[in-house]
């Protein structure tokens, strides 16, 4: 049987894969999308844990490529819930008739570049083999779940859930006792909701985390009308901000402000809620002393909220605020005032083992009905390395990246021609509002494919020199901020054995955009086009 051929294979049908498909069609390229899930939505398809919602405001965490789409869609809350975002993803799939080119419940297992035909052969777990000129990965940065290697995990007799792969039918914890491992964003969102249902909840904390209240609220018609009337303006303002989010940013130094100015600024931001807290001063992620002023403020809030001083102390993070991703919560600290909620510190000694009925730590057995792993992801590279990519000379991506990911612009990889990585390592991605960052990548890739076609060329590939230059730049910019200094998933520290490299580009969206545009203007500088 003749192999099916496409101009492009796209891997993943989240927000990146969906828009990529739409854009490819618009430009007259044939495409097939492969998606592991039964439906579209990516992150928002898998992360169905209680309390899951986005920490970027809804009216900004949405596509802008079609003004009609953003005008017709109505968000209901300031921070949209997972079900609402998934409804939005499905609405987009319907509106642009995307599903007919998506193969669901199909995993890409291998992709091999053939140097004689300049094409990729893509293989799936269903035994399909298709040929494509281009392969575009759209698998998300946080999609490969991290199941910790704790002894005895398989021995637990009750149900075990991972926040990143939550049962579709939901879980009712009413009348149950629950153990939660982890205190990152997913845990901080889910713990207050689980505590409302469960009879008993024990949280095992290795590292206390900073969180700012969401101050979530329904969106009024007046607010929505005002944003919609100026959507273009808001998006343009966002593009000028490092994180591509339209928020108030105060460039002043925290340490040069007076005690009173600092308190006022932090209180205002605390009352507003969410990630804009870090915009209170311009040097919070550049200067230890400035950062400490924000740390002290948040620790004070924890002491004000948590009744038991020992619990408050345990919940108080000791590290740099904003170094790990800042969390956004609804009622997290107050949850620990409930008599049926317990906090166990596992920082000094790791959890010994999971048992049939719970887990053991420091020789003490904790018993519960259900175990929740809120233990995060093998971020940025995990999903890419699960696929056996073979580039020129049959070289495997996992070997090329043995010392950490190397890309040109986070978009392409030397030695892997015609392969593009939407929000790949080395791009701003997770440090920005993902939706507009995805759109920028999709549009850049689609224009690039068109440029290759119009030149009558067959292959585009980053040069080793350009890639090396970009990797150096990503590393040197990372070194300028405090963000690269702590053991976060940004540096792969949550995965034992993963090389420690600051993976996203921290130079800010505007600088990145400028660089991507300059590359095109200079005739695809840093690429060999043949
Ligand atoms: P995470 O931030 O990596 O948190 C994982 C947690 O599990 C950490 O507290 C970690 O402790 C703990 N952990 C891992 N292995 C452990 C072990 N063996 N023993 C004890 N504790 C262990 O993962 P996440 O909460 O899923 O969040 C990941 C990212 O997803 C976020 O940073 C954010 O970018 C995104 N996210 C966003 C939202 C949102 O938009 N609102 C919601 C959820 C997630 P250590 O800190 O000590 O490693």
């Amino acid at each position: 049987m003749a192999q099916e051929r496409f101009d492009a294979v796209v891997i993943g049908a989240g927000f990146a894969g969906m828009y990529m498909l739409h854009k490819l069609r618009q430009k007259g390229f044939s495409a097939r999308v492969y998606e592991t899930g039964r439906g579209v939505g990516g992150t928002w398809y898998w992360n169905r844990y209680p309390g899951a919602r986005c920490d970027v405001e809804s009216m900004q965490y949405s596509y802008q490529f079609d003004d009609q789409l953003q005008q017709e869609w109505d968000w209901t809350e300031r921070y949209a819930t997972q079900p609402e975002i998934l409804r939005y993803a499905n609405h987009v799939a319907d509106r642009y008739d995307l599903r007919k080119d998506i193969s669901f419940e199909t995993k890409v297992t291998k992709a091999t570049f053939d140097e004689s035909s300049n094409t990729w052969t893509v293989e799936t777990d269903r035994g399909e083999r298709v040929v494509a000129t281009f392969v575009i990965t759209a698998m998300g940065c946080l999609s490969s779940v991290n199941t910790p290697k704790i002894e005895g995990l398989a021995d637990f007799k009750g149900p075990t859930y991972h926040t990143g792969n939550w049962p579709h039918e939901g879980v009712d914890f009413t009348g149950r006792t629950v153990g939660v491992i982890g205190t990152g964003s997913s845990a901080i969102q889910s713990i207050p909701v689980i505590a409302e249902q469960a009879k008993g909840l024990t949280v095992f904390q290795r590292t206390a985390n900073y969180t700012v209240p969401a101050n979530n609220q329904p969106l009024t018609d007046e607010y929505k009308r005002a944003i919609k009337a100026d959507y273009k303006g808001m998006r343009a303002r966002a593009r000028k901000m490092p994180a591509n989010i339209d928020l108030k940013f105060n460039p002043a130094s925290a340490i040069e402000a007076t005690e009173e100015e600092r308190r006022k600024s932090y209180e205002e931001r605390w009352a507003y809620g969410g990630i804009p807290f870090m915009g209170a001063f311009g040097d919070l992620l550049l200067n230890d002393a400035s950062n400490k002023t924000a740390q002290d403020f948040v620790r004070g809030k924890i002491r004000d909220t948590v009744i038991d001083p020992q619990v408050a102390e345990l919940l108080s993070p000791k590290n740099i605020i904003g170094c790990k991703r800042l969390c956004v919560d609804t009622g997290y600290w107050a949850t620990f005032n409930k008599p049926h909620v317990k906090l166990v510190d596992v920082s000094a000694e790791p959890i010994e083992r999971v048992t049939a009925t719970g887990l053991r730590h420091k020789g003490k057995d904790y018993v519960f009905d259900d175990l929740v792993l809120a233990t995060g992801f093998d971020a940025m590279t995990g999903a890419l390395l699960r696929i056996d990519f073979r580039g020129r000379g049959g070289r495997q991506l996992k070997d090329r990246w043995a010392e950490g990911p190397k890309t040109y612009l986070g978009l392409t990889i030397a030695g892997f021609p015609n392969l593009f990585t939407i929000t790949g390592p080395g791009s701003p991605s997770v440090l920005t509002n993902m939706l507009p960052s995805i759109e920028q990548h999709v549009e850049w890739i689609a224009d690039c494919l068109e440029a290759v076609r119009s030149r009558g060329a067959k292959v585009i590939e980053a040069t080793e020199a350009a890639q090396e230059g970009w990797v150096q730049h990503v590393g040197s910019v990372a070194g300028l901020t405090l963000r690269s200094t702590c053991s976060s998933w940004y540096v792969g520290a949550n995965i034992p054995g993963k090389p420690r490299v600051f993976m996203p580009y921290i130079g800010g969206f505007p600088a990145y955009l400028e660089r991507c545009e300059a590359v095109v203007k200079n005739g695809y500088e840093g690429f060999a086009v043949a």
Side-chain angles (χ1 to χ4, degrees):
M1 201 176 82
Q3 272 177 345
E4 272 195 281
R5 297 182 74 94
F6 298 94
D7 293 321
V9 158
V10 178
I11 312 175
F15 284 119
M18 286 201 294
Y19 182 37
M20 193 73 243
L21 172 61
H22 178 61
K23 201 79 206 164
L24 287 166
R25 281 186 189 165
Q26 275 185 336
K27 298 219 181 245
F29 291 105
S30 62
R32 161 74 55 86
V33 181
Y34 289 108
E35 164 59 48
T36 306
R38 281 200 306 273
V40 297
T43 287
W44 304 103
Y45 173 89
W46 298 105
N47 286 263
R48 298 173 188 236
Y49 60 83
R53 55 173 86 236
C54 189
D55 57 7
V56 175
E57 296 190 20
S58 326
M59 304 275 305
Q60 303 206 46
Y61 189 83
S62 51
Y63 287 124
Q64 57 190 290
F65 68 82
D66 182 343
D67 189 48
Q68 261 184 5
L69 171 66
Q70 62 182 3
Q71 292 296 334
E72 78 193 12
W73 182 264
D74 255 331
W75 294 103
T76 62
E77 292 178 75
R78 183 173 173 198
Y79 296 105
T81 60
Q82 173 273 330
E84 188 169 29
I85 302 173
L86 192 57
R87 274 200 299 282
Y88 174 69
N90 278 290
H91 169 73
V92 171
D94 293 337
R95 196 182 192 285
Y96 302 98
D97 193 16
L98 298 177
R99 286 192 185 80
K100 65 181 184 213
D101 290 323
I102 305 174
S103 298
F104 291 102
E105 293 182 87
T106 311
K107 270 190 192 140
V108 170
T109 51
K110 189 171 180 183
T112 312
F113 187 70
D114 174 14
E115 292 181 59
S116 60
S117 62
N118 289 317
T119 57
W120 284 92
T121 299
V122 177
E123 297 171 51
T124 75
D125 64 345
R126 287 178 171 252
E128 274 175 76
R129 266 168 86 97
V130 299
V131 173
T133 310
F134 302 100
V135 171
I136 304 164
T137 68
M139 293 181 283
C141 300
L142 295 156
S143 50
S144 175
V145 299
N146 169 37
T147 303
K149 295 194 175 32
I150 303 174
E151 210 189 310
L153 209 48
D155 300 343
F156 185 62
K157 291 278 184 275
T160 302
Y161 307 103
H162 194 295
T163 47
N165 188 5
W166 201 259
H168 287 200
E169 61 282 10
V171 180
D172 182 6
F173 292 107
T174 308
R176 313 275 295 173
T177 53
V178 184
V180 175
I181 302 180
T183 47
S185 296
S186 304
I188 282 176
Q189 286 189 332
S190 56
I191 283 166
V193 186
I194 296 174
E196 271 169 28
Q197 297 174 356
K199 182 170 78 179
L201 171 62
T202 310
V203 176
F204 298 90
Q205 172 186 275
R206 189 165 66 184
T207 312
N209 240 317
Y210 291 99
T211 179
V212 174
N215 192 13
N216 185 41
Q217 47 201 274
L219 293 178
T220 63
D221 288 343
E222 195 190 344
Y223 176 84
K224 284 187 273 192
R225 260 198 308 275
I227 299 268
K228 285 186 180 183
D230 181 38
Y231 238 138
K232 242 190 169 153
M234 186 186 79
R235 303 291 199 181
R237 287 192 297 281
R239 266 195 297 280
K240 294 199 175 111
M241 303 299 287
N244 206 338
I245 302 176
D246 182 27
L247 53 79
K248 273 201 204 139
F249 178 76
N250 172 17
S253 160
I255 205 66
E256 286 166 18
T258 64
E259 181 64 41
E260 201 189 322
E261 284 166 341
R262 276 198 296 268
R263 174 145 291 275
K264 185 167 174 286
S265 180
Y266 291 142
E267 286 291 1
E268 275 171 15
R269 302 255 167 181
W270 192 261
Y272 181 82
I275 285 171
F277 181 81
M278 291 305 292
F281 292 100
D283 60 353
L284 290 183
L285 285 170
L286 298 174
N287 176 330
D288 258 322
S290 293
N291 190 279
K292 191 162 177 309
T293 64
Q295 296 172 30
D296 289 343
F297 176 84
V298 177
R299 287 193 283 259
K301 288 289 181 193
I302 299 170
R303 284 193 296 274
D304 291 348
T305 311
V306 180
I307 297 162
D308 182 332
Q310 270 180 327
V311 178
E313 179 58 24
L314 261 188
L315 286 169
S316 295
K318 311 289 181 285
N319 51 1
I320 287 159
I321 184 168
C323 193
K324 289 189 172 192
R325 163 92 172 201
L326 188 68
C327 304
V328 178
D329 75 287
T330 301
Y332 179 66
W333 312 121
T335 298
F336 291 89
N337 291 332
K338 296 187 174 181
H340 70 295
V341 179
K342 304 274 176 266
L343 183 67
V344 178
D345 174 18
V346 298
S347 62
E349 273 181 49
I351 293 164
E352 237 171 279
R353 60 168 299 126
V354 173
T355 63
T357 54
L359 65 76
R360 189 172 306 143
H361 177 247
K362 285 200 338 203
K364 183 171 172 186
D365 280 314
Y366 296 87
V367 174
F368 38 79
D369 301 320
D370 303 317
L371 174 59
V372 174
L373 301 175
T375 46
F377 303 89
D378 182 356
M380 305 208 71
T381 56
L384 282 162
L385 292 176
R386 267 192 315 208
I387 296 174
D388 183 3
F389 280 107
R390 295 183 185 224
R392 280 200 194 282
R395 282 199 67 185
Q396 289 183 272
L397 186 60
K398 73 174 170 48
D399 294 335
R400 294 284 307 224
W401 282 7
E403 285 159 18
K406 289 188 170 193
T407 68
Y408 181 38
L409 302 172
L411 271 164
T412 56
I413 305 162
F416 293 77
N418 294 359
L419 172 68
F420 296 88
T421 50
I422 301 177
T423 63
S427 73
S429 60
V430 289
L431 301 177
T432 62
N433 182 359
M434 285 301 280
L435 261 282
S437 281
I438 283 170
E439 286 183 307
Q440 185 255 333
H441 266 194
V442 166
E443 286 160 17
W444 193 96
I445 293 167
D447 290 346
C448 175
L449 265 50
E450 200 170 42
V452 171
R453 180 173 62 187
S454 68
R455 286 188 197 186
K458 291 226 153 140
V459 193
I460 180 156
E461 181 180 1
T463 65
E464 292 283 353
Q467 175 165 288
E468 212 37 56
W470 183 250
V471 169
Q472 295 279 331
H473 176 60
V474 171
S476 64
V477 183
L480 299 174
T481 84
L482 299 173
R483 231 170 181 165
S484 57
T485 59
C486 64
S487 295
S488 64
W489 58 257
Y490 293 131
V491 297
N494 62 330
I495 305 294
K498 190 165 172 170
R500 193 177 172 123
V501 173
F502 191 82
M503 293 181 286
Y505 175 60
I506 204 173
F509 185 81
Y512 178 75
L513 182 64
E514 200 178 300
R515 182 66 186 267
C516 288
E517 287 176 352
V519 163
V520 176
K521 210 166 148 213
N522 297 333
Y524 286 92
E525 186 179 12
F527 286 97
V529 185

